């Protein structure tokens, strides 16, 4: 078990690195083309990567499965989460966006209590409240640093929570890779549909095309390793390693974009992470520690 946990932790670290690499190249591409076009181009590459993976694993399902109400709800929520996150990512430091997004486990716990009737004790309610205080410290509403893009990341967190909560209610026999493939195709198609309404098609340089291909490959790599992490180790041990994404974002944001988070942002991030870790700890004690069955496709 110790060996399994070590390998699972390594897989989770690699998965989070994959997601940050995706965010990084999406942010680079966003300087030249709008979010809808990013979703369209990257969606093609991501769909191809995931289709090959699903085919290799024998996880391709019938089309009617993709039209089930809960999968349609999940897909719609993921489309909106992706659009809002990519829109924000092009206009704010990658570390700030990642830090706000770490509130997702808290929002999922809150949503599960309010809408799914899952029991949440006073300790986890306290952790949720403290975590949201941390988010407010990061976004600082009413100050000069607060922008509509901060709201866009918060919206992405809310849509992602809907996605994860709807996933909890889906048939467990539906392969996770098939769900991710359906989502990737839908996100890409939505991007293509949105292009005419977002300024039309912009010229795409070879460097941008490479950036989005790398982003798509990084999402696929992240997906592979997060599934491996969930299947290999004890979730109570592995789940906290998901917060390594924030450290990656801090380092990459500084090295590539020169973004140095303010002390308040770092304090808020620490509060959010600590609250999330405590929530995971309490769920581990109750024996219900879970990660979202599929990663965000930002």
């Amino acid at each position: 078990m110790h060996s399994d946990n070590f390998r699972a932790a390594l897989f989770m670290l690699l998965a989070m690195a994959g997601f940050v690499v995706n965010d990084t190249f999406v942010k680079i591409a966003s300087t030249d083309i709008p979010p809808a076009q990013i979703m369209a181009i990257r969606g093609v590459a991501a769909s191809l990567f995931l289709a090959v993976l699903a085919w290799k694993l024998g996880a391709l399902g019938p089309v009617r499965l993709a039209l089930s109400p809960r999968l349609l709800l999940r897909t719609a929520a993921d489309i909106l989460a992706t659009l809002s996150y990519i829109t924000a990512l092009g206009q704010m430091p990658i570390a700030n966006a990642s830090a706000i997004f770490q509130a997702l486990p808290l929002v999922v716990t809150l949503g599960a209590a309010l809408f799914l009737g899952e029991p949440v004790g006073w300790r986890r309610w306290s952790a949720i409240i403290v975590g949201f205080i941390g988010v407010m410290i990061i976004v600082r509403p009413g100050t000069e640093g607060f922008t509509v893009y901060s709201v866009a990341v918060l919206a992405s967190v809310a849509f992602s929570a809907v996605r994860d909560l709807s996933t909890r209610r889906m048939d467990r026999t539906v392969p996770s890779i098939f769900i991710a493939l359906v989502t990737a195709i839908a996100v890409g198609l939505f991007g293509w549909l949105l292009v005419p309404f977002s300024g039309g098609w912009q010229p795409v340089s070879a460097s941008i095309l490479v950036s989005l291909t790398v982003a798509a490959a990084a999402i696929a790599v992240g997906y592979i390793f997060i599934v491996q992490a969930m299947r290999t180790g004890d979730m109570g041990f592995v789940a906290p390693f998901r917060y390594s994404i924030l450290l990656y974002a801090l380092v990459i944001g500084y090295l590539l974009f020169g973004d140095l988070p303010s002390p308040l942002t770092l304090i808020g991030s620490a509060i959010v992470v600590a609250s999330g870790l405590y929530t995971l700890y309490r769920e581990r004690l109750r024996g219900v520690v879970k990660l979202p069955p599929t990663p965000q496709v930002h």
Side-chain angles (χ1 to χ4, degrees), residues 25 42 48 52 87 100 108 151 176 199 211 218 291 296:
F25 281 96
R42 192 196 61 177
L48 289 174
V52 171
T87 300
I100 297 171
V108 170
V151 177
S176 296
S211 293
L291 287 177
Q296 62 269 22

Side-chain angles (χ1 to χ4, degrees), residues 45-164:
S47 298
L48 289 174
F49 284 128
L50 290 170
V52 171
L53 180 60
W55 176 66
K56 288 286 188 182
L57 296 175
L60 291 175
V63 175
R64 60 175 176 78
L65 195 59
L67 301 178
S68 62
R70 284 173 181 163
L71 184 49
L72 286 175
L73 173 61
R74 185 196 185 281
T75 301
D78 214 332
I79 288 172
L80 295 174
T82 301
L83 178 61
S84 53
Y85 190 81
I86 290 178
T87 300
L89 192 59
Q91 303 295 328
M92 67 187 300
I94 190 172
N96 290 42
S98 295
I100 297 171
F101 204 85
Q102 297 318 300
L104 178 58
L106 300 173
V107 178
V108 170
T109 300
L110 174 63
L114 295 179
F115 302 110
L116 301 184
E118 294 187 9
V120 175
W122 68 268
R123 293 180 180 85
R124 286 197 292 163
W125 277 118
S126 300
I128 290 171
I129 293 171
V130 171
F132 285 141
I133 291 174
V135 172
M136 290 300 102
I137 292 175
I138 297 170
V139 301
R140 295 189 291 281
T143 65
E144 184 179 346
F146 181 73
T147 69
V148 66
Y149 301 109
S150 301
V151 177
V153 180
L154 291 173
S156 181
V157 171
F159 289 131
S160 296
V162 173
R163 174 201 65 199
D164 291 344

Side-chain angles (χ1 to χ4, degrees), residues 180-223:
L181 174 59
V182 169
T183 302
I185 293 173
V187 168
L189 287 176
F190 186 79
W192 287 104
L193 292 173
L194 205 60
V195 165
F197 305 98
S198 58
W201 187 263
Q202 302 299 319
V204 180
S205 65
S207 61
I208 294 300
L209 191 58
V210 169
S211 293
L212 293 179
T213 302
V214 172
I219 284 180
V221 168
Y223 181 78

